[in-house]
Amino acid sequence: MASKALKEYTWEEINQHNKENDVWIVIDAKVFDVSKFANLHPGGANVLWADSVAGKDATEVFFGLHRHEVLLRPQYKRLQIGTVQGQTEQIKAPIPGELSRVPYGEPTWLSQGYFSPYYSDNHRKFQTVVREFFTTVVQPEAAKCEDNGKKISQEVVDKMAETNIIAMRLGPGKHLKGRTLMGGAVKPEEFDYFHEAIIHAELARVSSRAAVDGLLAGLVIALPPVLNYASPELYEKVVPDALAGKKYIALAISEAFAGSDVGGLQTTATRDGDYWIVTGTKKWITNGTFADYFTTGCKTETGFTVILIERGPGVSTKPIKTAYSSVAGTAYVTFDKVRVPVSNTLGKIGAGMSVILSNFNHERWMVCATSISAQRLIVEESLKWSTQRIVFGKPLTNQAVIRAKLASMISRVESCQNWFESITYQMNKMSYAQQSDKLAGPIGLHKQYVSKAGRETAEDATQVFGGRALTVTGMGKYIENYHRTSGFDAILAGAEDVLGDLGVRQALKKMPRDARL
Ligand code: HEM
């Protein structure tokens, strides 16, 4: 379509348009008339009039300064007036949904010519439709919200509900029964943890950590206690609307008084007949600013109890400014003598610890899935940049120090991925109870390793990109976002060092008493 009205120009013609107010440039065999655009050019007008640029081939200098996507924006695309006679474009524009051809840009199972014991053709088919969905429906919205800090639009949430992505993010289980998953790409009874991991991985590729959390991460951690412990009436009231994206839910455990130390929480629930009276505050509550329900940890007379609180009189939320965008809806929540029916108790009164702990493995595993995928994208960006960036007349990759950084980044993401797949395989084979017994330790250790690896990769990539990694737009925008937010993975769902310690303590518990050197 683009070529229908496009003329072919000889270099002789092109070379003549090399003056202020009459500037043509060539980028990858395409001729652009930038005469009028020059004064609007974010990089300034005079750079376009330079002798080495005006009327010349500016491909190399262009790709040293801009992401490919600049040329694809409609307002810039229309600057193209023709093509260079006898030349064809060499640089391939990214096609939404397609697999990366950059080495290590995809996990082994998606790389051509490689094999995997874990994934079937159905997983591949599923990955294709999920990537297309996230690239075309979610990514543009995520980029917008990353900027304006607003909640992801209801339109996108509705589409996620239509495809049942919201339900699939909770993993395999009864809640999928009777649902059409991604237009039928996988049957509910075939859906396993690798399918779920694909969703988390593709979601992370939208490259805005705050939007990843804004896309109902709150539900992924707050709804399982309702699925598993609510009375049938409460379940009916809450679950269908939540999975349909009509109501939002957040997990409200941590407080300014206590984070990982659940025993130190100060929010109280006292009995008044058939009601709880809940008073206290909660901090760092993901999706809290827009949640309709809060799965809340409370101190009760007989211990720690989890209660589902509906937004209403006495519940107020205010946004907390975090290092990432407010699209995540991070809130400070205040409960002021909120009356909640006792029938909203999740699990047994005083037995809230097991309700919360049973949730943790899945949440931590999910954080690993998104973190590894985000890291991989950073590896891909770094490989592309260091190949196309010319310094001292040569690509950055000519520097041994840059290659050493790439080696570390690749090794880290590959080891994270392989460990992750091994754990996911175990999850597929184990019951929920077996997972709690056998995988809490390995998942804790894995998360510690993944988040550490992520932060090291963020540092390395920042060095590779230099100043470009410090700006929120432009060539290094994904590196900037990742560098600013990779630390979240080391904190959310359990602090890095605490999880490492948990893994070791679990192992020590299982040490055979008769083992000796
Ligand atoms: C069709 C041609 C071009 C278009 C549509 C275009 C568009 C843009 C845009 C949108 C930006 C802002 C980048 C961002 O923040 O993402 C930019 C920055 C810039 N452009 Fe261009 N540009 C073109 C050609 C060129 C050429 C040929 C040069 C070569 C000298 C150039 C030099 C720059 C510079 C130096 C910057 C600032 C980069 C930075 O801040 O890191 N541009 N351009």
Side-chain angles (χ1 to χ4, degrees), residues 101-385:
R101 291 167 299 126
V102 173
Y104 306 104
E106 302 287 355
T108 315
W109 74 276
L110 286 174
S111 303
Q112 231 187 350
Y114 291 85
F115 305 92
S116 161
Y118 302 125
Y119 296 88
S120 66
D121 284 347
N122 183 261
H123 290 116
R124 283 176 231 284
K125 181 173 140 200
F126 185 72
Q127 185 276 335
T128 308
V129 287
V130 173
R131 178 163 301 181
E132 201 184 330
F133 179 86
F134 277 110
T135 323
T136 54
V137 178
V138 179
Q139 191 155 32
E141 173 79 5
K144 209 164 68 192
C145 295
E146 170 73 24
D147 268 356
N148 65 23
K150 290 195 180 144
K151 176 190 157 292
I152 299 282
S153 73
Q154 190 59 40
E155 201 188 334
V156 167
V157 174
D158 288 346
K159 285 185 182 153
M160 283 175 52
E162 230 172 82
T163 50
N164 277 308
I165 284 180
I166 299 182
M168 287 186 280
R169 289 193 71 199
L170 297 171
K174 283 191 219 125
H175 60 282
L176 297 183
K177 206 169 164 214
R179 293 179 183 271
T180 306
L181 308 179
M182 255 5 252
V186 53
K187 295 194 183 98
E189 60 277 17
E190 283 168 1
F191 187 89
D192 65 14
Y193 285 108
F194 283 111
H195 289 99
E196 189 198 341
I198 289 170
I199 296 181
H200 299 313
E202 294 303 328
L203 168 61
R205 291 176 64 91
V206 306
S207 301
S208 150
R209 180 65 170 79
V212 167
D213 285 356
L215 274 156
L216 312 192
L219 172 138
V220 182
I221 55 182
L223 199 62
V226 184
L227 287 179
N228 297 321
Y229 296 98
S231 66
E233 299 74 34
L234 188 64
Y235 184 106
E236 258 326 290
K237 179 178 173 197
V238 177
V239 175
D241 276 356
L243 295 184
K246 291 185 184 144
K247 293 274 185 185
Y248 300 111
I249 181 164
L251 184 68
I253 304 293
S254 51
E255 298 180 2
F257 302 100
S260 304
D261 166 22
V262 174
L265 298 176
Q266 297 197 9
T267 296
T268 55
T270 47
R271 277 296 277 270
D272 179 13
D274 288 342
Y275 286 86
W276 291 112
I277 310 294
V278 181
T279 294
T281 56
K282 296 287 173 183
K283 193 171 178 182
W284 305 287
I285 306 309
T286 304
N287 299 176
T289 56
F290 53 83
D292 300 290
Y293 296 106
F294 299 86
T295 300
T296 311
C298 302
K299 243 164 65 172
T300 48
E301 217 175 12
T302 52
F304 177 70
T305 303
V306 180
I307 301 171
L308 186 75
I309 302 178
E310 191 166 357
R311 191 185 280 271
V315 178
S316 58
T317 54
K318 63 177 182 192
I320 302 177
K321 274 200 171 194
T322 55
Y324 69 15
S325 154
S326 49
V327 58
T330 314
Y332 191 83
V333 184
T334 305
F335 300 114
D336 190 13
K337 301 194 192 84
V338 186
R339 283 178 78 76
V340 188
V342 170
S343 54
N344 276 28
T345 308
L346 301 173
K348 294 208 171 87
I349 295 173
M353 202 60 91
S354 60
V355 175
I356 293 306
L357 289 181
S358 69
N359 213 14
F360 265 145
N361 279 346
H362 183 260
E363 178 183 1
R364 289 169 184 160
W365 171 83
M366 172 185 77
V367 173
C368 294
T370 49
S371 170
I372 295 167
S373 173
Q375 274 179 55
R376 189 174 289 287
L377 204 77
I378 297 304
V379 172
E380 180 182 352
E381 290 274 304
S382 302
L383 275 163
K384 280 185 184 161
W385 171 246

Side-chain angles (χ1 to χ4, degrees), residues 25 32 37 41-43 47-48 53 62 65-66 70 73 76 473-474:
I25 55 169
F32 292 86
F37 163 70
H41 178 225
V47 295
L48 301 177
V53 172
F62 180 87
L65 295 159
H66 313 73
V70 166
R73 292 183 203 152
Y76 302 134
T473 58

